[in-house]
Amino acid sequence: MRHEKLTSLLNEMVEYNAFPGATYALLTRKNLYLGAVGKRSLLPEIEENTIDTIYDVASLTKVIATSTIITRMLAQKKICLEDKVQTFLPDFRYPQITILDLLSHRSGLPKTLNSQGLTEKEFLHQLYQLPLNDENSPTVVYSDVGYLFLGLVIEKIYGKSIDMVAIEEVFKPLGMMDSSYSPMDVKRCAPTELTTYRGLIRGTVHDGKSFLLHGKTGHAGLFTTVQDLVKFCQMIKNDGVVDGKRYLPKDCIDLWFTPASSCMNQPSRSFSWIVGSDFETLGNSGKSSTISATGFTGTSIVMDRKRGVYAILLSNRVHLSRENKKIHLARQKYFSLCFQIAKEEEE
């Protein structure tokens, strides 16, 4: 019955045109609900959605791959949160900015930068020359730029590309076998936007900055399935233990649920996760124990250890156009229902 409620709601959201289709999961203390609704693709032909659809999760890359790798390095004492970025990237302009500043979006770096029409070399030159935001700007500014640099820090420390590091440090240990930066099975990938300059994007990263850098960046580029993200959530639910082995110390996971930066009129942030209430995603269901993250393509994940809720919603809401903004209502309704179901199970 509860499973039917989730499916019914998301089918309503398909009819509402919030997205062509979606896969979803709700992991509670007692149950796991998994499902798929709608269409995987509308062009070049209509394809039914399935539970094993691979989604470009956009900025979920930040929390699933990049900040998890950083957390692993922290646990292994390869880095400290107060290490200066310049220690690893000598050409980085700002000696005062730390790893934690980048992780928690409090560095003062701008939100993004334009990549269109640039070569890779020109883009990287521009990246390293970016000025900090005006002093009157909010302390917390959600920044792709900060995570671009974190990706470069990871590559410098490991001496290999971030996609290879993610395989070794995240995907293999967690058994996330459908997760990658370069999906091999393009037919399983949900297409994203229909663009004038790239045509229909399918199986390659949607984000233009990441695309210019071959889809292997700290802020975007991850392709994954809802089933793989359930494995990630199960690791959190088990306080960092996977198959009886310690993957992350519990106190490191606790950092994800603890604000590292906050600012008036801005959500609190930990390691890129939003900590606490975020109405745009959660409606009125968020509490101080809740963390959440979203991706531009239409993806989202919410976790609340106190209430026993680990919820995932993957969609390609930008298919066919990024102008579709109805995802916000869909998220609010879906995650509110997830919390309601978890509460009912314990009553």
Side-chain angles (χ1 to χ4, degrees), residues 106-135:
R106 70 184 194 192
S107 67
L109 287 165
K111 181 176 181 178
T112 190
L113 73 162
N114 183 37
S115 60
Q116 205 161 348
L118 298 179
T119 65
E120 180 180 351
K121 184 177 180 180
E122 289 169 340
F123 175 79
L124 288 172
H125 176 76
Q126 181 176 307
L127 177 68
Y128 275 94
Q129 298 305 312
L130 284 173
L132 296 181
N133 291 314
D134 186 87
E135 291 182 2

Side-chain angles (χ1 to χ4, degrees), residues 188-205:
R188 281 174 56 197
C189 293
T192 54
E193 194 172 9
L194 179 62
T195 68
T196 55
Y197 55 97
R198 288 176 58 190
L200 180 65
I201 301 173
R202 185 173 196 175
T204 57
V205 65

Side-chain angles (χ1 to χ4, degrees), residues 109-113 127 130 143-150 219:
L109 287 165
K111 181 176 181 178
T112 190
L113 73 162
L127 177 68
L130 284 173
S143 174
D144 280 353
V145 171
Y147 272 74
L148 274 164
F149 280 117
L150 280 175
H219 75 289

Side-chain angles (χ1 to χ4, degrees), residues 7 13 68 76 119 210 232 240 296 316 326:
T7 303
M13 293 298 101
T68 304
Q76 296 162 2
T119 65
S210 186
F232 184 87
F296 183 81
N316 52 340
K326 295 181 179 180

